[in-house]
Amino acid sequence: MRVGVFGGEFDPPHRAHLAVARLARDQLRLDRVVIVPAGTPPHRAASTTPAAARLRMAELAFAGERGIDVSSFEIDRADTSHTLVTLEHLAPLGELFLIMGADQLAAFDQWREPQRIRSIATLVVAPRSGLAIDDREAIELQMEPVDLSSTQVRDALRLGGGADLVPAPVLELIRREGLYGGSPC
C-alpha cells in the first residue's frame, strides 16, 4: 500500500492543507493519506490552541475526503513529537511518502535523524513562493506555490475575516469554541 503522511500543527487546517493532501493523493496514486496533527513539536513552542481542538478541526477539515484519515498518534503521545517516531509507527502500513511544504524542506537537515527519515519515506514537497526545492531525492507536487499559512489564517480570523480560508465545519468549531480571539457562540 502507498501511504502519504502529512503532519503539522493544523492550527487551523485550511484550504491549502486540503489542496496539498488531495494533490499528493491523486498525483502519487496514494492508497491512503494520513493527516497527523503534531502533539508537542521539538522545533518550536507548542501551540496555544489545545491539542484536542486542533485534532477535532483536522477531523472536520478532512471528513469525507476519499482515502484521507486523521491520526491522533502524536497528540496521544506524552513525549515530544518527532517525525521519525511517527514514520516508524506507520511503516508497517506500506510504502511511505512524507508530505511537507518547501519551507519545511529548507529546515529538514535540522530534524531528528533526517537520513533515517529518508530511508523510511520518500519526501514529497509542496512548492512555496520564494523557496526553491533543491533536493533531487524529493518529489515536487505539480501545483501553484502555496501562499497561505496557518499564521495568516489565524490573523485573518482574529480580525473577523478568513471565513473563506477554512472549511465551513472548521469555521463553525472555531466560532463555537472562541478560538483565535473570537467570542464563543
Side-chain angles (χ1 to χ4, degrees):
M1 182 169 1
R2 293 167 59 88
V3 179
V5 180
F6 188 14
E9 286 195 278
F10 298 102
D11 187 17
H14 50 71
R15 60 183 169 86
H17 290 132
L18 281 145
V20 168
R22 289 171 181 151
L23 282 168
R25 177 195 63 201
D26 297 345
Q27 287 181 18
L28 301 174
R29 295 187 174 110
L30 301 175
D31 299 297
R32 180 177 174 196
V33 175
V34 181
I35 305 298
V36 187
T40 305
H43 57 283
R44 65 172 94 168
S47 172
T48 57
T49 306
R54 292 186 297 103
L55 176 63
R56 185 70 187 125
M57 285 189 286
E59 290 168 342
L60 290 169
F62 292 96
E65 288 289 334
R66 176 184 51 82
I68 301 177
D69 359 81
V70 177
S71 169
S72 64
F73 176 74
E74 288 190 6
I75 287 175
D76 292 342
R77 288 176 39 86
D79 203 359
T80 302
S81 299
H82 288 282
T83 300
L84 176 62
V85 173
T86 302
L87 292 174
E88 288 174 338
H89 171 74
L90 295 173
L93 295 177
E95 183 181 5
L96 300 183
F97 296 82
L98 179 61
I99 303 163
M100 66 178 70
D103 54 330
Q104 293 298 311
L105 180 65
F108 182 71
D109 288 338
Q110 298 165 17
W111 291 19
R112 181 179 182 186
E113 298 187 53
Q115 291 307 324
R116 175 85 177 116
I117 291 171
R118 286 179 187 273
S119 74
I120 297 171
T122 300
L123 302 186
V124 177
V125 184
R128 299 279 307 242
S129 291
L131 292 173
I133 298 175
D134 295 333
D135 189 316
R136 288 184 224 152
E137 296 175 44
I139 298 171
E140 183 177 349
L141 289 176
Q142 299 307 302
M143 63 185 293
E144 290 297 315
V146 175
D147 287 325
L148 183 63
S149 72
S150 291
T151 300
Q152 293 168 314
V153 173
R154 287 191 303 271
D155 290 345
L157 291 166
R158 272 188 202 99
L159 297 172
D164 60 328
L165 302 177
V166 296
V170 173
L171 182 62
E172 289 173 28
L173 178 85
I174 289 168
R175 288 180 174 159
R176 189 172 55 247
E177 298 289 325
L179 300 174
Y180 313 119
S183 300
C185 297

